[in-house]
Amino acid sequence: AQTVTQSQPEMSVQEAETVTLSCTYDTSESDYYLFWYKQPPSRQMILVIRQEAYKQQNATENRFSVNFQKAAKSFSLKISDSQLGDAAMYFCAYSLGPGGGSEKLVFGKGTKLTVNP
Amino acid sequence: DVKVTQSSRYLVKRTGEKVFLECVQDMDHENMFWYRQDPGLGLRLIYFSYDVKMKEKGDIPEGYSVSREKKERFSLILESASTNQTSMYLCASTQVTFSPLHFGNGTRLTVT
């Protein structure tokens, strides 16, 4: 079974600094997708970034970027120029690709990010 | 924008009551999910549905059932609520699983 591990229950960063959240996963599949979701105190989970495993280029969305190391099964999230609004729970998630036979995401346990002014 | 609406934000029920959590999405998505979120445990999948009247057990289906009579609505049912079902419940939908999930705001259920 696929598993997702986030080894940092909590992280903190100073406003305007850079922080990296770690995520590792375990799978024997070659076609899959990886996601980072953000859950602010308002509770609405929103997608931050998505990475297709077949793409070697790391995904980037504005201040958010990933470091995808397929061989190491590592998928870290880097937040640059941190803002107070980045404070949230961050969840790493894994999904099989099309035709993979599974219709569900597997989530990590989350990392709580605090941004200090 | 896709909207996923959960009928209650907070709910307090007594042990043994039958509880219905409702979820409606407005984007004609095929797949709908119910997750349970507990501190330190992340999100755990209870049930999901990939079509009307179709359902699949997730990782923790015990004590729960679901109903999907219409494509836009996915209901989670606690047949006889117990205190260990006190939790945050999140509904989500997507057209295909490897596309981003769209989540509702969550229902915080307390069973006393």
Side-chain angles (χ1 to χ4, degrees):
Chain A
Q2 292 83 13
T3 59
V4 176
T5 301
Q6 293 179 248
S7 59
Q8 306 151 316
E10 295 187 27
M11 293 279 288
S12 63
V13 63
Q14 290 296 127
E15 199 174 0
E17 298 288 306
T18 296
V19 64
T20 298
L21 309 184
S22 301
C23 173
T24 59
Y25 58 94
D26 185 24
T27 184
S28 57
E29 305 292 335
S30 58
D31 183 18
Y32 52 88
Y33 289 72
L34 296 165
F35 307 81
W36 278 100
Y37 283 88
K38 169 184 176 181
Q39 186 182 40
S42 67
R43 303 201 314 229
Q44 181 84 51
M45 290 268 277
I46 56 174
L47 177 72
V48 176
I49 202 163
R50 181 178 83 157
Q51 175 80 42
E52 295 92 333
Y54 63 86
K55 289 188 177 179
Q56 292 187 341
Q57 187 172 6
N58 288 324
T60 299
E61 288 287 341
N62 301 314
R63 299 182 294 107
F64 298 87
S65 61
V66 298
N67 183 5
F68 174 46
Q69 302 288 329
K70 192 172 185 178
K73 297 179 183 176
S74 171
F75 183 61
S76 60
L77 175 70
K78 185 171 84 170
I79 306 174
S80 303
D81 186 25
S82 297
Q83 301 175 359
L84 295 177
D86 295 334
M89 284 289 290
Y90 286 82
F91 291 94
C92 179
Y94 163 101
S95 170
L96 285 172
S102 176
E103 299 296 326
K104 62 180 184 179
L105 261 64
V106 178
F107 283 87
K109 293 182 178 181
T111 297
K112 182 180 180 181
L113 178 66
T114 301
V115 180
N116 300 310
Chain B
D1 268 357
V2 176
K3 190 163 186 181
V4 179
T5 303
Q6 293 184 231
S7 54
S8 302
R9 198 158 171 85
Y10 298 95
L11 210 53
V12 179
K13 295 292 182 181
R14 294 194 179 274
T15 303
E17 278 193 78
K18 190 169 185 176
V19 181
F20 293 85
L21 302 183
E22 306 287 346
C23 175
V24 177
Q25 51 95 2
D26 66 358
M27 278 301 288
D28 202 37
H29 282 169
E30 300 288 336
N31 299 296
M32 296 189 74
F33 305 80
W34 275 106
Y35 285 91
R36 172 175 171 162
Q37 182 180 6
D38 299 288
L41 297 179
L43 275 72
R44 294 179 292 168
L45 182 64
I46 305 172
Y47 268 97
F48 65 98
S49 168
Y50 50 90
D51 202 351
V52 175
K53 297 189 185 293
M54 306 302 288
K55 60 185 179 183
E56 291 283 345
K57 292 180 179 179
D59 300 316
I60 52 165
E62 297 78 18
Y64 303 94
S65 62
V66 291
S67 172
R68 195 167 180 200
E69 296 295 321
K70 294 184 178 181
K71 194 173 186 179
E72 67 271 18
R73 186 180 296 271
F74 191 36
S75 303
L76 180 68
I77 304 158
L78 287 66
E79 295 290 341
S80 178
S82 63
T83 54
N84 63 12
Q85 292 177 310
T86 291
S87 186
M88 172 75 76
Y89 291 87
L90 294 174
C91 175
S93 74
T94 188
Q95 186 59 19
V96 289
T97 309
F98 49 90
S99 292
L101 285 179
H102 298 268
F103 284 87
N105 272 334
T107 296
R108 187 174 294 283
L109 173 67
T110 301
V111 182
T112 62

